[in-house]
Amino acid sequence: MKKIATLLTLLLLLPALAAGCGSSAIKEESTDETVEEDLITVGFSQLGAESDWRNTNTISMQEAFTRENGFNLVYKNGQQKQANQITAVRMFIQQGVDYIVLAPATETGWESVLTEARDAGIPVILVDRRVDVADKTLFSCWVGSDFELESKKMTEWLRKLTEVRNISPEELHIVNIQGTMGSTAQIGRTRGLANAARENGWDLITEVSGDFTENKGREVMAAMLKGYDNINVVYCENDNMAIGAIDALEAAGKRVGPNIKNGEVMVVSFDGVNEKSLEYCREGKISCIAECNPLHGPRVRALIEALDKGETPETFNYVDEKIFSSLNTVKSVTVDGIEYAVEEP
């Protein structure tokens, strides 16, 4: 029997259109105080709207949890602030929602509020990023990407490309524009690059956070160019930052492309959602993109439906992801014994 609660649907305004999503748009709904016992009520705390990936992820969740599918979605945008998300989760608990879906801003600092949700008997499903808690029973399951695997694919692609083009490891001078510090994506993608740089003998010059935003990516890249004159690879932990970095590189008179030996600066990135970044990949301005699949809605809905039937789904549920490049030099990469085809963007 579902909890009966008067529902106040709070939706914050987000950009009307997410790139790569056709006509789909993040939905605003008016306040709805109707009690509908036959619907499963889901409280969704999204961390924000900092990127095209995030907006696409939000749309996927909204399209999955419709009344037509048997759900009432209570959505809250955290605006990149963990405090806002904690407030939202407590609001969901007070409303007596059936399930809480949380896309956490960072990994730490969730023990208290997740304990409150468990004590209230409300299962929590994590999406995208994880939480660092000692008690793993504070959440039911997680859906998202293997961010370190994404990085392993990217760095193996870079290793193979430079090997084929007779570029020695010591010729690579790499800077990393990181995502939001402490987020699962940043941790995995940063760790993957650091490990590869150490194993291959690459020069990892510096790492600075761009907060997953285009403007900060532009700002960080401009500052790096003032501090270092030998950068030839820019590793961006998402597409929006890559677009900003390319703007800064071109404004500084740099040629962006894969031909390091002829003085170009190679840019690589993650996500594969933003249409401009995919066009840049087709043009060669972005040499490679490791996909990060944002379409979590259907998988999360299936998990909630399973939980609602009393089933126990897998704790960790990974989405399938690809790797893209318009360069035909590297046809595939092999990571941990598994081969991944490099596809056209």
Side-chain angles (χ1 to χ4, degrees):
M1 184 73 176
K2 298 288 167 239
K3 302 178 184 69
I4 300 176
T6 299
L7 300 176
L8 178 62
T9 303
L10 300 176
L11 293 175
L12 297 183
L13 182 62
L14 289 171
L17 190 63
C21 292
S23 60
S24 297
I26 294 173
K27 297 177 178 62
E28 270 193 293
E29 295 182 5
S30 59
T31 299
D32 183 359
E33 298 182 357
T34 304
V35 176
E36 298 184 62
E37 298 181 42
D38 58 335
L39 296 179
I40 298 173
T41 301
V42 176
F44 174 39
S45 173
Q46 178 63 283
L47 70 91
E50 79 284 1
S51 66
D52 295 293
W53 189 98
R54 186 66 50 196
N55 291 339
T56 305
N57 181 252
T58 298
I59 290 168
S60 177
M61 299 295 291
Q62 290 180 330
E63 290 179 345
F65 294 106
T66 62
R67 278 173 163 69
E68 291 75 15
N69 289 333
F71 294 91
N72 189 15
L73 182 67
V74 184
Y75 167 72
K76 186 70 173 172
N77 176 356
Q79 299 180 332
Q80 281 76 49
K81 295 179 180 178
Q82 185 183 40
N84 290 346
Q85 291 196 279
I86 291 172
T87 298
V89 172
R90 288 192 169 125
M91 180 190 74
F92 297 152
I93 294 169
Q94 291 171 358
Q95 288 179 321
V97 302
D98 297 305
Y99 297 91
I100 292 172
V101 177
L102 171 65
T106 58
E107 291 196 351
T108 58
W110 296 101
E111 286 88 351
S112 294
V113 73
L114 292 185
T115 299
E116 293 170 28
R118 184 183 62 186
D119 292 347
I122 303 173
V124 174
I125 296 89
L126 304 175
V127 296
D128 182 31
R129 303 174 182 180
R130 298 191 188 185
V131 296
D132 183 6
V133 291
D135 185 353
K136 304 304 180 185
T137 67
L138 292 179
F139 61 93
S140 295
C141 44
W142 167 89
V143 174
S145 303
D146 187 332
F147 299 109
E148 191 166 354
L149 175 59
E150 292 174 356
S151 180
K152 287 180 178 180
K153 292 177 187 176
M154 177 67 75
T155 54
E156 177 59 12
W157 177 89
L158 182 58
R159 187 197 67 78
K160 289 186 72 173
L161 179 75
T162 53
E163 183 180 74
V164 169
R165 294 189 169 182
N166 296 315
I167 300 171
S168 61
E170 59 272 17
E171 290 181 78
L172 291 187
H173 306 292
I174 306 170
V175 294
N176 180 13
I177 303 181
Q178 300 166 293
T180 302
M181 299 306 294
S183 67
T184 311
Q186 176 272 314
I187 291 169
R189 292 168 185 169
T190 295
R191 182 190 296 128
L193 175 61
N195 289 341
R198 184 180 60 253
E199 293 164 3
N200 292 295
W202 299 337
D203 175 25
L204 180 53
I205 300 171
T206 190
E207 300 173 305
V208 181
S209 173
D211 288 334
F212 286 129
T213 70
E214 184 174 327
N215 286 340
K216 194 67 182 289
R218 185 180 299 107
E219 175 187 322
V220 167
M221 187 73 254
M224 287 177 169
L225 289 171
K226 292 177 181 177
Y228 307 96
D229 62 4
N230 62 340
I231 299 169
N232 57 14
V233 177
V234 182
Y235 177 101
C236 297
E237 293 188 5
N238 84 339
D239 289 338
N240 289 85
M241 294 189 300
I243 292 169
I246 289 169
D247 286 348
L249 286 162
E250 293 182 334
K254 302 290 185 181
R255 289 184 293 116
V256 179
N259 201 335
I260 293 174
K261 280 189 172 293
N262 284 345
E264 292 184 340
V265 179
M266 177 186 294
V267 175
V268 298
S269 181
F270 294 84
D271 282 359
V273 173
N274 182 291
E275 182 55 39
K276 186 173 183 179
S277 71
L278 290 171
E279 182 58 35
Y280 276 0
C281 192
R282 288 187 282 269
E283 294 173 2
K285 283 189 176 184
I286 296 179
S287 296
C288 186
I289 296 175
E291 182 186 29
C292 185
N293 185 346
L295 305 179
H296 296 167
R299 192 177 291 247
V300 175
R301 186 180 74 194
L303 289 173
I304 287 178
E305 289 171 343
L307 289 167
D308 214 53
K309 295 174 183 175
E311 299 173 5
T312 304
E314 292 290 330
T315 303
F316 297 103
N317 300 267
Y318 292 96
V319 293
D320 296 326
E321 296 173 328
K322 302 175 181 179
I323 183 167
F324 304 110
S325 178
S326 60
L327 307 177
N328 58 15
T329 312
V330 178
K331 303 292 186 184
S332 66
V333 296
T334 301
V335 176
D336 299 330
I338 300 174
E339 185 176 21
Y340 301 90
V342 178
E343 302 188 16
E344 289 283 336

